[in-house]
Amino acid sequence: MGKSDKAERAKERREKRLQEISLLRTIPYSDHQRWWSAETVAVVTGGNRGIGFEISRQLASQGVTVILTSRDHSVGLEAAKVFQEGGLNVFFHQLDVLDTLSINEFCDWLKQNYGGLDILINNAAVNFNQGSDNSVEYASQVITTNYYGIKNMIQAMIPLMKHSAPGGRIVNVSSRLGRINGKRNKLEDANLREKLSNIDTLTEEMIDQTVSTFLQQVQEGTWESDGWPKTFTDYSVSKLAVNTYTRLMARIFSERPEGEKIYINCYCPGWVKTAMTGYAGNISAEDGADTAVWLALLPDQAVTGKFFAERREISF
């Protein structure tokens, strides 16, 4: 079978799965499945456009109160207004996930006005490569926003997660490009793969050291010869860190007592038609947002520390 035949088969499978998901999205949740209400609060970072905007819309359409955040005050306010005019409970607050002061102000506001949150969607991210580009000019910004930004938000939100029987929910928007053992875009360093794959010995320091080593090699100009992923390298390394951190936090959260559980997963939305892909993607924002909403609202959430795409678990 030639490359074009394989690509065509893959395209057909993807389109068939997306049709199935579109159908699933039309099936309403039954009363006994709905653990949430209008009192349930979801925070969506980078919610002013693209996937974040669509996640906000779908969560609010299910009756959840959504706090849409954005670095840009006027753009975020405008996005929330669009939803409010449609009768949805979506409210805006400015937030820069890299600014400690901004995060602290947001935490104070959230606690004062809503008493905390139930769902956190970490969507804010950046990517500066498109097509066949693979520049690392902005590697530091990519790693800082995509990995450290998510870490900042999770650590800040843990104390604000409301205690409940269904548990708190965290969904990290990630990418298949960040798979440790991906067929086409994996880490070449077998020792590093083994270290990051071993959940029993994995630590936050190991993940931080991995991205620090990459950034050091970028600075030295040696990164190309050290076995990092070949496609969108800086973005892939940032998402590899997100995926690994998701697994680590799931292990840590598993030790929390009943009634205070927090469940955390990550997912790949696919190559979505948004500004980040230069609108060259093959998936709509609506379909790209679907798995995030599905994970956030799972009726029987015993699922944690997993990686998903198109409502199916995939390997790290």
Side-chain angles (χ1 to χ4, degrees):
M1 187 185 290
K3 272 189 177 180
S4 60
D5 291 333
K6 282 184 178 177
E8 193 58 38
R9 291 273 299 275
K11 182 183 174 186
E12 286 172 9
R13 284 196 301 272
R14 184 177 65 247
E15 287 176 351
K16 184 182 177 187
R17 181 58 185 162
L18 291 175
Q19 286 171 359
E20 290 171 1
I21 288 169
S22 292
L23 181 62
L24 288 169
R25 215 164 35 239
T26 65
I27 302 170
Y29 288 91
S30 63
D31 287 344
H32 79 274
Q33 289 177 313
R34 296 175 73 94
W35 58 267
W36 64 91
S37 68
E39 303 297 310
T40 303
V41 175
V43 171
V44 181
T45 67
N48 55 294
R49 67 178 187 178
I51 296 171
F53 184 88
E54 186 58 32
I55 290 172
S56 298
R57 186 190 69 77
Q58 290 185 28
L59 282 171
S61 296
Q62 291 293 347
V64 173
T65 294
V66 175
I67 312 302
L68 177 157
T69 75
S70 163
R71 275 183 308 174
D72 187 314
H73 188 276
S74 59
V75 171
L77 207 56
E78 193 58 39
K81 195 187 292 182
V82 170
F83 291 127
Q84 289 164 5
E85 287 171 355
L88 297 176
N89 277 347
V90 179
F91 305 95
F92 169 72
H93 196 281
Q94 192 277 337
L95 174 65
D96 182 344
V97 298
L98 301 182
D99 184 333
T100 303
L101 184 61
S102 175
I103 292 173
N104 289 342
E105 285 177 355
F106 177 72
C107 288
D108 290 344
W109 175 85
L110 186 66
K111 189 171 185 179
Q112 189 175 344
N113 289 276
Y114 296 94
L117 75 162
D118 304 274
I119 297 167
L120 171 63
I121 310 286
N122 281 311
N123 167 70
V126 294
N127 172 41
F128 295 94
N129 286 307
Q130 291 178 7
S132 59
D133 298 344
N134 195 27
S135 166
V136 292
E137 182 182 353
Y138 301 102
S140 181
Q141 190 178 339
V142 170
I143 298 289
T144 304
T145 304
N146 297 2
Y147 171 53
Y148 289 105
I150 278 182
K151 272 179 60 172
N152 292 346
M153 282 304 295
I154 290 174
Q155 293 307 320
M157 293 297 111
I158 289 172
L160 297 180
M161 279 282 182
K162 296 178 186 174
H163 296 169
S164 66
R169 315 288 173 94
I170 299 176
V171 180
N172 295 326
V173 181
S174 192
S175 172
R176 286 183 179 93
L177 290 174
R179 292 166 81 176
I180 292 173
N181 295 297
K183 285 180 185 174
R184 291 174 296 177
N185 205 43
K186 70 179 178 185
L187 282 172
E188 298 297 336
D189 185 334
N191 288 332
L192 184 56
R193 285 205 310 271
E194 170 61 29
K195 201 157 74 165
L196 295 178
S197 297
N198 189 334
I199 190 62
D200 295 324
T201 56
L202 183 66
T203 65
E204 188 173 336
E205 289 72 28
M206 283 181 192
I207 308 170
D208 289 354
Q209 184 57 53
T210 300
V211 297
S212 294
T213 300
F214 169 66
L215 290 176
Q216 182 67 33
Q217 290 175 4
V218 166
Q219 224 171 14
E220 295 167 354
T222 61
W223 66 275
E224 286 181 284
S225 59
D226 276 324
W228 299 103
K230 303 288 188 234
T231 305
F232 295 178
T233 303
D234 54 4
Y235 182 79
S236 296
V237 171
S238 76
K239 293 304 188 180
L240 183 150
V242 168
N243 292 347
T244 311
Y245 188 70
T246 300
R247 295 171 66 230
L248 173 67
M249 291 311 297
R251 189 189 78 200
I252 293 168
F253 287 152
S254 70
E255 296 167 7
R256 292 171 69 94
E258 290 301 324
E260 297 180 27
K261 293 289 188 189
I262 299 175
Y263 303 101
I264 182 170
N265 295 286
C266 53
Y267 91 105
C268 175
W271 198 34
V272 182
K273 295 173 192 167
T274 63
M276 189 179 282
T277 64
Y279 298 97
N282 52 24
I283 293 173
S284 68
E286 185 178 16
D287 285 331
D290 175 83
T291 298
V293 176
W294 172 73
L295 279 171
L297 300 181
L298 276 178
D300 302 310
Q301 176 86 56
V303 179
T304 194
K306 306 291 186 186
F307 190 20
F308 291 86
E310 296 160 3
R311 297 197 184 194
R312 288 174 173 163
E313 185 181 345
I314 60 176
S315 68
F316 282 98

